[in-house]
mmCIF file of all heavy atoms in Angstrom:
data_model
loop_
_atom_site.group_PDB
_atom_site.id
_atom_site.type_symbol
_atom_site.label_atom_id
_atom_site.label_comp_id
_atom_site.label_asym_id
_atom_site.label_seq_id
_atom_site.Cartn_x
_atom_site.Cartn_y
_atom_site.Cartn_z
ATOM 1 N N TYR K 33 16.067 -7.932 19.145
ATOM 2 C CA TYR K 33 15.115 -8.543 18.245
ATOM 3 C C TYR K 33 15.608 -8.555 16.797
ATOM 4 O O TYR K 33 16.215 -7.614 16.417
ATOM 5 C CB TYR K 33 13.726 -7.850 18.287
ATOM 6 C CG TYR K 33 13.144 -7.835 19.673
ATOM 7 C CD1 TYR K 33 13.518 -6.897 20.683
ATOM 8 C CD2 TYR K 33 12.183 -8.854 20.069
ATOM 9 C CE1 TYR K 33 13.018 -6.913 21.934
ATOM 10 C CE2 TYR K 33 11.652 -8.806 21.335
ATOM 11 C CZ TYR K 33 12.032 -7.881 22.289
ATOM 12 O OH TYR K 33 11.506 -7.893 23.524
ATOM 13 N N PHE K 35 14.617 -9.367 12.618
ATOM 14 C CA PHE K 35 13.511 -9.440 11.754
ATOM 15 C C PHE K 35 14.051 -9.685 10.280
ATOM 16 O O PHE K 35 15.193 -9.367 9.920
ATOM 17 C CB PHE K 35 12.794 -8.105 11.683
ATOM 18 C CG PHE K 35 12.230 -7.586 13.010
ATOM 19 C CD1 PHE K 35 13.063 -6.952 13.916
ATOM 20 C CD2 PHE K 35 10.916 -7.698 13.264
ATOM 21 C CE1 PHE K 35 12.550 -6.515 15.131
ATOM 22 C CE2 PHE K 35 10.414 -7.299 14.443
ATOM 23 C CZ PHE K 35 11.274 -6.674 15.377
ATOM 24 N N TYR K 37 12.422 -8.845 6.405
ATOM 25 C CA TYR K 37 11.363 -8.307 5.515
ATOM 26 C C TYR K 37 11.651 -8.610 4.101
ATOM 27 O O TYR K 37 12.802 -8.698 3.672
ATOM 28 C CB TYR K 37 11.325 -6.787 5.736
ATOM 29 C CG TYR K 37 10.664 -6.249 7.049
ATOM 30 C CD1 TYR K 37 11.551 -6.166 8.171
ATOM 31 C CD2 TYR K 37 9.383 -5.975 7.210
ATOM 32 C CE1 TYR K 37 11.031 -5.767 9.393
ATOM 33 C CE2 TYR K 37 8.877 -5.580 8.398
ATOM 34 C CZ TYR K 37 9.627 -5.405 9.461
ATOM 35 O OH TYR K 37 9.137 -4.970 10.661
ATOM 36 N N GLN K 39 10.835 -7.209 0.181
ATOM 37 C CA GLN K 39 10.383 -6.135 -0.646
ATOM 38 C C GLN K 39 10.201 -6.609 -2.079
ATOM 39 O O GLN K 39 11.278 -6.641 -2.862
ATOM 40 C CB GLN K 39 11.299 -4.922 -0.530
ATOM 41 C CG GLN K 39 10.858 -3.762 -1.344
ATOM 42 C CD GLN K 39 11.823 -2.515 -1.278
ATOM 43 O OE1 GLN K 39 13.054 -2.756 -1.378
ATOM 44 N NE2 GLN K 39 11.337 -1.335 -1.151
ATOM 45 N N SER K 42 6.858 -4.525 -6.285
ATOM 46 C CA SER K 42 5.825 -3.439 -6.015
ATOM 47 C C SER K 42 6.262 -2.416 -4.964
ATOM 48 O O SER K 42 5.677 -1.387 -4.899
ATOM 49 C CB SER K 42 4.564 -4.125 -5.623
ATOM 50 O OG SER K 42 4.775 -5.003 -4.560
ATOM 51 N N GLY K 43 7.336 -2.798 -4.191
ATOM 52 C CA GLY K 43 7.872 -1.816 -3.325
ATOM 53 C C GLY K 43 7.594 -1.879 -1.888
ATOM 54 O O GLY K 43 8.376 -1.229 -1.062
ATOM 55 N N GLU K 44 6.562 -2.422 -1.500
ATOM 56 C CA GLU K 44 6.214 -2.424 0.002
ATOM 57 C C GLU K 44 7.107 -3.349 0.768
ATOM 58 O O GLU K 44 7.676 -4.312 0.160
ATOM 59 C CB GLU K 44 4.802 -2.833 0.216
ATOM 60 C CG GLU K 44 4.320 -4.303 -0.027
ATOM 61 C CD GLU K 44 4.078 -4.611 -1.420
ATOM 62 O OE1 GLU K 44 4.520 -3.889 -2.343
ATOM 63 O OE2 GLU K 44 3.456 -5.652 -1.620
ATOM 64 N N LEU K 45 7.273 -3.156 2.025
ATOM 65 C CA LEU K 45 8.092 -4.086 2.810
ATOM 66 C C LEU K 45 7.134 -5.050 3.516
ATOM 67 O O LEU K 45 6.232 -4.606 4.232
ATOM 68 C CB LEU K 45 8.856 -3.310 3.881
ATOM 69 C CG LEU K 45 10.085 -2.527 3.407
ATOM 70 C CD1 LEU K 45 10.568 -1.577 4.399
ATOM 71 C CD2 LEU K 45 11.188 -3.489 2.993
ATOM 72 N N PHE K 47 6.514 -8.070 6.135
ATOM 73 C CA PHE K 47 7.118 -8.630 7.360
ATOM 74 C C PHE K 47 7.137 -10.236 7.136
ATOM 75 O O PHE K 47 6.134 -10.791 6.694
ATOM 76 C CB PHE K 47 6.340 -8.314 8.611
ATOM 77 C CG PHE K 47 6.493 -9.170 9.733
ATOM 78 C CD1 PHE K 47 7.698 -9.062 10.593
ATOM 79 C CD2 PHE K 47 5.594 -10.189 10.118
ATOM 80 C CE1 PHE K 47 7.862 -9.843 11.571
ATOM 81 C CE2 PHE K 47 5.870 -10.929 11.220
ATOM 82 C CZ PHE K 47 7.036 -10.812 11.966
ATOM 83 N N ARG K 50 9.880 -12.401 13.106
ATOM 84 C CA ARG K 50 10.498 -11.700 14.251
ATOM 85 C C ARG K 50 10.969 -12.662 15.239
ATOM 86 O O ARG K 50 10.378 -13.704 15.545
ATOM 87 C CB ARG K 50 9.417 -10.836 14.902
ATOM 88 C CG ARG K 50 9.737 -10.219 16.288
ATOM 89 C CD ARG K 50 8.601 -9.361 16.696
ATOM 90 N NE ARG K 50 8.649 -8.955 18.076
ATOM 91 C CZ ARG K 50 8.055 -9.579 19.120
ATOM 92 N NH1 ARG K 50 7.294 -10.517 18.892
ATOM 93 N NH2 ARG K 50 8.187 -8.994 20.291
ATOM 94 N N PHE K 91 15.426 -7.920 3.408
ATOM 95 C CA PHE K 91 16.153 -7.110 4.327
ATOM 96 C C PHE K 91 16.154 -7.879 5.759
ATOM 97 O O PHE K 91 15.042 -8.315 6.229
ATOM 98 C CB PHE K 91 15.519 -5.759 4.552
ATOM 99 C CG PHE K 91 15.628 -4.864 3.378
ATOM 100 C CD1 PHE K 91 14.626 -4.802 2.444
ATOM 101 C CD2 PHE K 91 16.766 -4.120 3.208
ATOM 102 C CE1 PHE K 91 14.756 -3.949 1.347
ATOM 103 C CE2 PHE K 91 16.908 -3.235 2.076
ATOM 104 C CZ PHE K 91 15.943 -3.257 1.137
ATOM 105 N N SER K 95 16.783 -4.587 16.305
ATOM 106 C CA SER K 95 16.324 -3.532 17.143
ATOM 107 C C SER K 95 16.668 -3.901 18.662
ATOM 108 O O SER K 95 16.944 -5.007 18.887
ATOM 109 C CB SER K 95 14.849 -3.224 16.975
ATOM 110 O OG SER K 95 14.066 -4.231 17.546
ATOM 111 N N GLY K 96 16.520 -2.889 19.394
ATOM 112 C CA GLY K 96 16.693 -3.103 20.914
ATOM 113 C C GLY K 96 17.726 -2.328 21.512
ATOM 114 O O GLY K 96 17.941 -2.350 22.696
ATOM 115 N N GLY K 99 17.055 -0.052 24.541
ATOM 116 C CA GLY K 99 15.586 -0.097 24.735
ATOM 117 C C GLY K 99 14.917 0.675 23.545
ATOM 118 O O GLY K 99 13.652 0.706 23.542
ATOM 119 N N SER K 100 15.610 1.136 22.588
ATOM 120 C CA SER K 100 14.953 1.832 21.466
ATOM 121 C C SER K 100 14.297 0.755 20.599
ATOM 122 O O SER K 100 14.748 -0.275 20.436
ATOM 123 C CB SER K 100 16.032 2.568 20.620
ATOM 124 O OG SER K 100 15.459 3.022 19.413
ATOM 125 N N GLU K 101 13.202 1.220 19.926
ATOM 126 C CA GLU K 101 12.527 0.301 19.095
ATOM 127 C C GLU K 101 12.740 0.499 17.663
ATOM 128 O O GLU K 101 12.198 -0.125 16.833
ATOM 129 C CB GLU K 101 11.019 0.451 19.364
ATOM 130 C CG GLU K 101 10.649 0.053 20.850
ATOM 131 C CD GLU K 101 9.172 0.137 21.179
ATOM 132 O OE1 GLU K 101 8.350 0.176 20.134
ATOM 133 O OE2 GLU K 101 8.784 0.184 22.305
ATOM 134 N N LYS K 102 13.673 1.385 17.419
ATOM 135 C CA LYS K 102 13.940 1.624 15.967
ATOM 136 C C LYS K 102 14.671 0.452 15.342
ATOM 137 O O LYS K 102 15.404 -0.352 15.977
ATOM 138 C CB LYS K 102 14.812 2.906 15.726
ATOM 139 C CG LYS K 102 16.158 2.807 16.318
ATOM 140 C CD LYS K 102 16.902 4.162 16.225
ATOM 141 C CE LYS K 102 18.312 4.030 16.797
ATOM 142 N NZ LYS K 102 18.957 5.387 16.724
ATOM 143 N N LEU K 103 14.438 0.175 14.024
ATOM 144 C CA LEU K 103 15.051 -0.893 13.321
ATOM 145 C C LEU K 103 16.320 -0.436 12.661
ATOM 146 O O LEU K 103 16.301 0.633 12.083
ATOM 147 C CB LEU K 103 14.022 -1.455 12.303
ATOM 148 C CG LEU K 103 12.793 -2.111 12.819
ATOM 149 C CD1 LEU K 103 11.925 -2.556 11.656
ATOM 150 C CD2 LEU K 103 13.194 -3.324 13.657
ATOM 151 N N PHE K 105 18.647 -1.669 9.687
ATOM 152 C CA PHE K 105 18.542 -2.513 8.502
ATOM 153 C C PHE K 105 19.911 -2.820 7.928
ATOM 154 O O PHE K 105 20.854 -2.005 7.973
ATOM 155 C CB PHE K 105 17.661 -1.891 7.423
ATOM 156 C CG PHE K 105 16.170 -1.984 7.762
ATOM 157 C CD1 PHE K 105 15.565 -0.926 8.469
ATOM 158 C CD2 PHE K 105 15.416 -3.003 7.200
ATOM 159 C CE1 PHE K 105 14.219 -0.950 8.711
ATOM 160 C CE2 PHE K 105 14.146 -3.079 7.403
ATOM 161 C CZ PHE K 105 13.508 -2.034 8.152
ATOM 162 N N GLY K 106 20.034 -4.044 7.365
ATOM 163 C CA GLY K 106 21.121 -4.286 6.453
ATOM 164 C C GLY K 106 20.850 -3.695 5.122
ATOM 165 O O GLY K 106 19.798 -3.109 4.855
ATOM 166 N N LYS K 107 21.738 -3.816 4.138
ATOM 167 C CA LYS K 107 21.600 -3.131 2.877
ATOM 168 C C LYS K 107 20.686 -3.935 1.949
ATOM 169 O O LYS K 107 20.264 -3.467 0.889
ATOM 170 C CB LYS K 107 22.925 -2.964 2.199
ATOM 171 C CG LYS K 107 23.771 -1.934 2.873
ATOM 172 C CD LYS K 107 25.085 -1.599 2.064
ATOM 173 C CE LYS K 107 25.798 -0.461 2.734
ATOM 174 N NZ LYS K 107 27.034 -0.125 1.892
ATOM 175 N N ASN W 31 2.075 3.190 17.931
ATOM 176 C CA ASN W 31 3.486 3.506 17.433
ATOM 177 C C ASN W 31 3.462 3.763 15.954
ATOM 178 O O ASN W 31 2.834 2.996 15.216
ATOM 179 C CB ASN W 31 4.390 2.332 17.657
ATOM 180 C CG ASN W 31 4.711 2.026 19.186
ATOM 181 O OD1 ASN W 31 5.062 2.934 19.874
ATOM 182 N ND2 ASN W 31 4.587 0.867 19.533
ATOM 183 N N TYR W 33 6.345 5.057 12.894
ATOM 184 C CA TYR W 33 7.740 5.299 12.593
ATOM 185 C C TYR W 33 7.852 5.773 11.159
ATOM 186 O O TYR W 33 7.110 5.372 10.273
ATOM 187 C CB TYR W 33 8.585 3.911 12.645
ATOM 188 C CG TYR W 33 8.319 3.202 13.919
ATOM 189 C CD1 TYR W 33 7.242 2.383 14.080
ATOM 190 C CD2 TYR W 33 9.260 3.210 14.966
ATOM 191 C CE1 TYR W 33 7.053 1.647 15.310
ATOM 192 C CE2 TYR W 33 9.058 2.456 16.151
ATOM 193 C CZ TYR W 33 7.964 1.724 16.299
ATOM 194 O OH TYR W 33 7.857 0.961 17.434
ATOM 195 N N TYR W 35 10.901 6.038 8.205
ATOM 196 C CA TYR W 35 12.201 5.567 7.737
ATOM 197 C C TYR W 35 12.373 6.128 6.324
ATOM 198 O O TYR W 35 11.362 6.478 5.592
ATOM 199 C CB TYR W 35 12.348 4.036 7.609
ATOM 200 C CG TYR W 35 12.244 3.302 8.960
ATOM 201 C CD1 TYR W 35 11.044 3.026 9.555
ATOM 202 C CD2 TYR W 35 13.441 2.855 9.601
ATOM 203 C CE1 TYR W 35 10.927 2.334 10.771
ATOM 204 C CE2 TYR W 35 13.366 2.152 10.806
ATOM 205 C CZ TYR W 35 12.167 1.933 11.391
ATOM 206 O OH TYR W 35 12.062 1.220 12.572
ATOM 207 N N ARG W 37 14.895 5.452 2.545
ATOM 208 C CA ARG W 37 16.052 4.727 1.941
ATOM 209 C C ARG W 37 16.515 5.719 0.774
ATOM 210 O O ARG W 37 15.873 5.877 -0.183
ATOM 211 C CB ARG W 37 15.658 3.436 1.350
ATOM 212 C CG ARG W 37 16.801 2.636 0.832
ATOM 213 C CD ARG W 37 16.441 1.328 0.173
ATOM 214 N NE ARG W 37 17.572 0.493 -0.001
ATOM 215 C CZ ARG W 37 17.722 -0.514 -0.812
ATOM 216 N NH1 ARG W 37 16.534 -0.953 -1.504
ATOM 217 N NH2 ARG W 37 18.778 -1.300 -1.028
ATOM 218 N N GLU W 42 21.308 1.959 3.034
ATOM 219 C CA GLU W 42 20.340 1.227 3.901
ATOM 220 C C GLU W 42 19.036 1.997 4.158
ATOM 221 O O GLU W 42 19.019 3.195 4.046
ATOM 222 C CB GLU W 42 20.968 0.868 5.258
ATOM 223 C CG GLU W 42 22.191 -0.003 5.203
ATOM 224 C CD GLU W 42 23.468 0.901 5.142
ATOM 225 O OE1 GLU W 42 23.471 2.007 4.665
ATOM 226 O OE2 GLU W 42 24.485 0.331 5.633
ATOM 227 N N ILE W 43 18.029 1.267 4.477
ATOM 228 C CA ILE W 43 16.841 1.876 5.052
ATOM 229 C C ILE W 43 17.240 2.427 6.446
ATOM 230 O O ILE W 43 17.717 1.709 7.329
ATOM 231 C CB ILE W 43 15.699 0.935 5.217
ATOM 232 C CG1 ILE W 43 15.349 0.316 3.859
ATOM 233 C CG2 ILE W 43 14.526 1.526 5.825
ATOM 234 C CD1 ILE W 43 14.371 -0.855 3.891
ATOM 235 N N PHE W 45 16.258 4.849 9.937
ATOM 236 C CA PHE W 45 15.255 5.332 10.852
ATOM 237 C C PHE W 45 15.275 6.868 10.972
ATOM 238 O O PHE W 45 16.361 7.485 10.890
ATOM 239 C CB PHE W 45 15.581 4.711 12.250
ATOM 240 C CG PHE W 45 14.789 5.445 13.367
ATOM 241 C CD1 PHE W 45 13.443 5.087 13.692
ATOM 242 C CD2 PHE W 45 15.339 6.390 14.148
ATOM 243 C CE1 PHE W 45 12.728 5.654 14.668
ATOM 244 C CE2 PHE W 45 14.653 7.003 15.213
ATOM 245 C CZ PHE W 45 13.349 6.593 15.431
ATOM 246 N N HIS W 48 10.153 8.221 15.743
ATOM 247 C CA HIS W 48 9.182 7.347 16.267
ATOM 248 C C HIS W 48 8.156 8.159 17.185
ATOM 249 O O HIS W 48 8.590 8.941 17.976
ATOM 250 C CB HIS W 48 9.884 6.327 17.100
ATOM 251 C CG HIS W 48 9.049 5.487 17.984
ATOM 252 N ND1 HIS W 48 9.481 4.831 19.200
ATOM 253 C CD2 HIS W 48 7.700 5.142 17.880
ATOM 254 C CE1 HIS W 48 8.516 4.151 19.730
ATOM 255 N NE2 HIS W 48 7.500 4.264 18.993
ATOM 256 N N ASP W 56 11.321 9.282 19.785
ATOM 257 C CA ASP W 56 12.709 9.290 19.373
ATOM 258 C C ASP W 56 12.715 9.900 17.954
ATOM 259 O O ASP W 56 12.176 9.460 17.114
ATOM 260 C CB ASP W 56 13.176 7.785 19.298
ATOM 261 C CG ASP W 56 14.673 7.648 18.920
ATOM 262 O OD1 ASP W 56 15.282 8.709 18.635
ATOM 263 O OD2 ASP W 56 15.099 6.492 18.869
ATOM 264 N N SER W 58 15.932 10.847 16.806
ATOM 265 C CA SER W 58 17.367 10.957 16.629
ATOM 266 C C SER W 58 17.833 10.771 15.148
ATOM 267 O O SER W 58 18.982 11.032 14.835
ATOM 268 C CB SER W 58 17.926 9.793 17.501
ATOM 269 O OG SER W 58 17.579 8.543 17.120
ATOM 270 N N PHE W 91 9.455 5.548 3.979
ATOM 271 C CA PHE W 91 8.611 4.507 4.501
ATOM 272 C C PHE W 91 7.993 4.880 5.835
ATOM 273 O O PHE W 91 8.655 5.463 6.676
ATOM 274 C CB PHE W 91 9.310 3.141 4.680
ATOM 275 C CG PHE W 91 9.740 2.471 3.458
ATOM 276 C CD1 PHE W 91 11.084 2.528 2.975
ATOM 277 C CD2 PHE W 91 8.856 1.713 2.645
ATOM 278 C CE1 PHE W 91 11.440 1.920 1.798
ATOM 279 C CE2 PHE W 91 9.270 1.045 1.465
ATOM 280 C CZ PHE W 91 10.507 1.167 1.062
ATOM 281 N N ARG W 97 1.081 -1.037 20.665
ATOM 282 C CA ARG W 97 1.824 -0.695 21.820
ATOM 283 C C ARG W 97 1.836 -1.687 22.880
ATOM 284 O O ARG W 97 2.607 -1.651 23.855
ATOM 285 C CB ARG W 97 1.272 0.707 22.351
ATOM 286 C CG ARG W 97 2.174 1.284 23.507
ATOM 287 C CD ARG W 97 3.450 1.642 23.065
ATOM 288 N NE ARG W 97 4.269 2.323 24.110
ATOM 289 C CZ ARG W 97 5.534 2.513 24.059
ATOM 290 N NH1 ARG W 97 6.210 2.228 22.922
ATOM 291 N NH2 ARG W 97 6.208 3.095 25.040
ATOM 292 N N ARG W 100 6.083 -4.806 24.068
ATOM 293 C CA ARG W 100 7.278 -4.063 23.728
ATOM 294 C C ARG W 100 7.940 -4.702 22.511
ATOM 295 O O ARG W 100 7.948 -5.935 22.319
ATOM 296 C CB ARG W 100 8.236 -4.090 24.920
ATOM 297 C CG ARG W 100 9.583 -3.491 24.560
ATOM 298 C CD ARG W 100 10.168 -2.861 25.766
ATOM 299 N NE ARG W 100 11.398 -2.083 25.429
ATOM 300 C CZ ARG W 100 11.402 -0.969 24.906
ATOM 301 N NH1 ARG W 100 10.280 -0.382 24.577
ATOM 302 N NH2 ARG W 100 12.525 -0.346 24.606
ATOM 303 N N GLN W 101 8.477 -3.809 21.705
ATOM 304 C CA GLN W 101 9.080 -4.239 20.457
ATOM 305 C C GLN W 101 8.198 -5.134 19.605
ATOM 306 O O GLN W 101 8.588 -6.190 19.163
ATOM 307 C CB GLN W 101 10.394 -4.900 20.743
ATOM 308 C CG GLN W 101 11.256 -5.004 19.497
ATOM 309 C CD GLN W 101 11.521 -3.632 18.839
ATOM 310 O OE1 GLN W 101 12.172 -2.783 19.341
ATOM 311 N NE2 GLN W 101 10.915 -3.410 17.560
ATOM 312 N N THR W 103 6.030 -6.100 16.310
ATOM 313 C CA THR W 103 6.408 -6.089 14.913
ATOM 314 C C THR W 103 5.999 -4.847 14.219
ATOM 315 O O THR W 103 4.840 -4.371 14.400
ATOM 316 C CB THR W 103 5.807 -7.248 14.188
ATOM 317 O OG1 THR W 103 6.357 -8.438 14.668
ATOM 318 C CG2 THR W 103 6.082 -7.176 12.692
ATOM 319 N N GLN W 104 6.848 -4.205 13.443
ATOM 320 C CA GLN W 104 6.449 -2.941 12.724
ATOM 321 C C GLN W 104 5.985 -3.389 11.319
ATOM 322 O O GLN W 104 6.741 -4.100 10.622
ATOM 323 C CB GLN W 104 7.689 -2.069 12.566
ATOM 324 C CG GLN W 104 8.175 -1.534 13.921
ATOM 325 C CD GLN W 104 9.338 -0.641 13.863
ATOM 326 O OE1 GLN W 104 9.579 0.017 12.860
ATOM 327 N NE2 GLN W 104 10.191 -0.590 14.910
ATOM 328 N N PHE W 106 4.930 -2.100 7.588
ATOM 329 C CA PHE W 106 5.338 -1.041 6.702
ATOM 330 C C PHE W 106 4.248 -0.721 5.677
ATOM 331 O O PHE W 106 3.595 -1.659 5.168
ATOM 332 C CB PHE W 106 6.669 -1.288 6.009
ATOM 333 C CG PHE W 106 7.810 -1.087 6.921
ATOM 334 C CD1 PHE W 106 8.180 -2.126 7.907
ATOM 335 C CD2 PHE W 106 8.607 0.061 6.805
ATOM 336 C CE1 PHE W 106 9.243 -1.867 8.746
ATOM 337 C CE2 PHE W 106 9.723 0.194 7.660
ATOM 338 C CZ PHE W 106 9.976 -0.738 8.670
ATOM 339 N N GLY W 107 4.250 0.575 5.317
ATOM 340 C CA GLY W 107 3.462 1.021 4.153
ATOM 341 C C GLY W 107 4.279 0.779 2.820
ATOM 342 O O GLY W 107 5.393 0.384 2.925
ATOM 343 N N PRO W 108 3.673 1.096 1.742
ATOM 344 C CA PRO W 108 4.326 0.929 0.497
ATOM 345 C C PRO W 108 5.336 1.957 0.138
ATOM 346 O O PRO W 108 6.130 1.738 -0.835
ATOM 347 C CB PRO W 108 3.148 1.039 -0.530
ATOM 348 C CG PRO W 108 2.143 1.955 0.155
ATOM 349 C CD PRO W 108 2.259 1.678 1.661
ATOM 350 N N ARG W 111 7.879 7.599 -3.004
ATOM 351 C CA ARG W 111 9.164 7.805 -3.771
ATOM 352 C C ARG W 111 9.263 9.269 -4.087
ATOM 353 O O ARG W 111 8.470 9.778 -4.810
ATOM 354 C CB ARG W 111 9.136 6.930 -5.124
ATOM 355 C CG ARG W 111 9.431 5.486 -4.716
ATOM 356 C CD ARG W 111 8.674 4.544 -5.652
ATOM 357 N NE ARG W 111 8.814 3.194 -5.177
ATOM 358 C CZ ARG W 111 8.119 2.661 -4.182
ATOM 359 N NH1 ARG W 111 7.179 3.323 -3.502
ATOM 360 N NH2 ARG W 111 8.362 1.419 -3.751
#
Side-chain angles (χ1 to χ4, degrees):
Chain K
Y33 299 82
F35 302 80
Y37 286 86
Q39 185 181 40
S42 51
E44 74 274 22
L45 286 168
F47 166 74
R50 165 178 172 261
F91 292 95
S95 73
S100 170
E101 297 183 17
K102 65 183 178 186
L103 296 176
F105 284 86
K107 290 188 175 182
Chain W
N31 289 311
Y33 308 81
Y35 294 83
R37 188 182 192 198
E42 299 93 333
I43 300 170
F45 167 82
H48 169 204
D56 181 356
S58 61
F91 291 102
R97 187 65 179 170
R100 178 146 183 77
Q101 196 53 70
T103 296
Q104 295 178 29
F106 283 76
R111 282 145 191 81

